Amino acid sequence: MSEQVILVDEQDRAIGTAEKLSAHQQGQLHRAFSVFIYRRPKNNEQKVEWLLQQRQIEKYHCGGLWTNSCCSHPRPNETLLQAAIRRVFEELRLRVSVQTVGHFIYRAAFDNGLVEHEFDHVLIGECNTHTIDFNPAEVQAYRWMNTDAIIAEYQANPSHFTPWFMLAFEKILDNIALQQELNIC
């Protein structure tokens, strides 16, 4: 059975479903999520670190690019939180709780003719591990980076990141309560 995505309007109201590849070929607006996993430093003087993944080179788009910890689409009849928890485990073999911190809409066209047009929910979750037993069919590599290092690398090499990465990360950076709680910056 083919994977389905939830088509939405600009207020994130479900208006139907579509086969995943077809939705990307036609550039239909659909529900998605971007999860950022963080770990707190052992030393209070250090800053929180974020888990970034390098997408598997064979992915249908953006293969080999760096992005947030996990991103995907909820299935029909699956809540956003259920989907995020499921995909974090499928991609990173981690069991984490997540919470929503914001959302945005973006559209990006790729050289292979596919279009990402997503209502993207940004979620965060905490992890205490250092080694990630990732799924090599989904993830090529991973690394832990603090906010300053991420921003510096993105500014130096934005083409090394997925088109949605900084749009999603800015939802975290703009959240004053998270900045204070997690010592992000």
Side-chain angles (χ1 to χ4, degrees):
M1 182 174 193
S2 65
E3 189 172 348
Q4 299 286 303
V5 296
I6 302 166
L7 302 178
V8 296
D9 65 15
E10 291 189 356
Q11 286 71 48
D12 194 35
R13 292 182 294 235
I15 58 172
T17 61
E19 193 275 323
K20 179 179 165 182
L21 182 58
S22 175
H24 289 95
Q25 289 168 332
Q26 297 176 38
Q28 294 173 289
L29 183 61
H30 57 279
R31 188 173 293 151
F33 59 85
S34 295
V35 179
F36 287 84
I37 304 294
Y38 66 91
R39 65 180 182 191
R40 294 177 191 265
K42 293 178 182 174
N43 175 343
N44 284 340
E45 295 173 17
Q46 295 175 328
K47 296 178 180 173
V48 68
E49 291 182 311
W50 301 98
L51 175 62
L52 273 59
Q53 72 153 276
Q54 185 179 32
R55 289 170 60 90
Q56 178 48 251
I57 195 76
E58 301 299 323
K59 289 289 240 183
Y60 62 107
H61 68 72
C62 298
L65 296 182
W66 287 93
T67 197
N68 47 286
S69 310
C70 174
C71 47
S72 190
H73 312 91
R75 296 173 178 157
N77 301 315
E78 183 179 46
T79 70
L80 189 65
L81 297 181
Q82 289 169 335
I85 290 167
R86 172 183 55 82
R87 282 304 291 171
V88 166
F89 183 75
E90 290 171 357
E91 291 188 18
L92 301 169
R93 310 286 194 244
L94 295 174
R95 295 206 184 277
V96 297
S97 296
V98 295
Q99 64 179 344
T100 304
V101 296
H103 59 81
F104 62 98
I105 295 174
Y106 79 99
R107 190 176 200 287
F110 303 104
D111 292 341
N112 64 2
L114 298 179
V115 176
E116 279 288 15
H117 190 196
E118 295 184 332
F119 190 107
D120 196 358
H121 295 266
V122 180
L123 301 101
I124 62 168
E126 184 173 2
C127 167
N128 294 317
T129 189
H130 292 275
T131 304
I132 306 299
D133 180 28
F134 62 85
N135 178 348
E138 298 287 341
V139 179
Q140 188 158 315
Y142 74 92
R143 58 186 166 171
W144 292 97
M145 297 177 74
N146 70 35
T147 303
D148 296 335
I150 291 170
I151 292 170
E153 183 166 338
Y154 183 85
Q155 289 174 341
N157 299 297
S159 64
H160 293 180
F161 292 84
T162 59
W164 62 86
F165 174 78
M166 192 51 73
L167 296 169
F169 199 48
E170 285 173 349
K171 294 299 175 188
I172 294 169
L173 299 178
D174 291 344
N175 189 314
I176 301 300
L178 279 178
Q179 287 181 26
Q180 294 169 344
E181 178 188 346
L182 299 180
N183 189 21
I184 292 172
C185 299

